[in-house]
Structures are given as C-alpha cells and as structure tokens.
Amino acid sequence: QVLLVESGGGSVQDGTSLTLSCAAPAYTFSSKCVVWFRQTPGKERERVAAIYAGHRSTWYTDSVKDRFRISYDDIKDAVWLQMVTLKPEDTAMYYCAASPCPEKLCSGTFCYGRSQASFGAWGQGTQVTVSS
C-alpha cells in the first residue's frame, strides 16, 4: 500500500480558511482518482470531495459545495483541498486516498462512487478543528 502524506490541518475559528495538501514521494496522481474523506469519532468515514486528475473532473458532497475546492497540481504532483468559510461541523480528521482509474470511465462522480477498498493509497490524516 502506498502511503500518502496529508498536511495543512489545524485549529481555526469558524468562517476562516485552510488548505490541505496530499502528496507522496515518487507517486503520481496523474490519471488517478483522488478522494478526500473525513471522519469524526464514532461516525463513518465520509466522502467530501473527489477528482479525476486526468481531466480535473470533480465532485463534492452537498455540505461543502461552494465552500471547498479540490484541485490537482501537476507541477507539484499534489492534490489540494481549499476550504473556506469553515464551520464547526467541518471538524474532523481528513484523509486523502488514491486509486488508478480507467480513463474511459473516469470522472469526479465515478471517483466518488468507488468503494473504499478500491483505494490502494491512503494517508494517515490531518486534523481540522473549527471553533465557534
């Protein structure tokens, strides 16, 4: 299993912004599905945003639409999650995961729908805490 590295989490006030990054040495996200998940204690892991890096097609869960933006930086070979207008309910451990994707099928929506078991690369998470 490939170990991805997330960074950028922190403790912030509501209404502010954070940008998370996901990357790994000698690993490329090109032509892969990348999904940001989040999880709070006692709850199931939730899909937050997804991208097919091949053509930057994206998907977002309803609660973060218009506030979060997922993007792929092919120069740094990293996936970013820009989060603005953060709310206390965004508090969670955030994980990124990646998997190869058949180009003819792939899109942000397709990536969102993939089972967690299909993702062979995971990070260890970065904590985001939003205080009111």
Side-chain angles (χ1 to χ4, degrees), residues 23-84:
Y27 184 83
T28 180
F29 292 109
S30 176
S31 299
K32 289 188 174 66
C33 281
V34 183
V35 178
W36 280 98
F37 295 83
R38 65 186 179 188
Q39 189 172 25
T40 54
K43 293 189 177 181
E44 290 189 1
R45 194 172 291 173
E46 174 193 21
R47 291 169 175 80
V48 175
I51 188 168
Y52 170 51
H55 50 63
R56 273 77 167 176
S57 171
T58 59
W59 172 92
Y60 300 91
T61 193
D62 285 345
S63 63
V64 307
K65 281 180 181 176
D66 301 323
R67 298 190 300 120
F68 288 14
R69 180 174 177 267
I70 187 170
S71 60
Y72 170 54
D73 183 336
D74 59 358
I75 295 175
K76 296 185 177 182
D77 219 330
V79 173
W80 308 94
L81 185 67
Q82 296 171 284
M83 308 183 293
V84 301

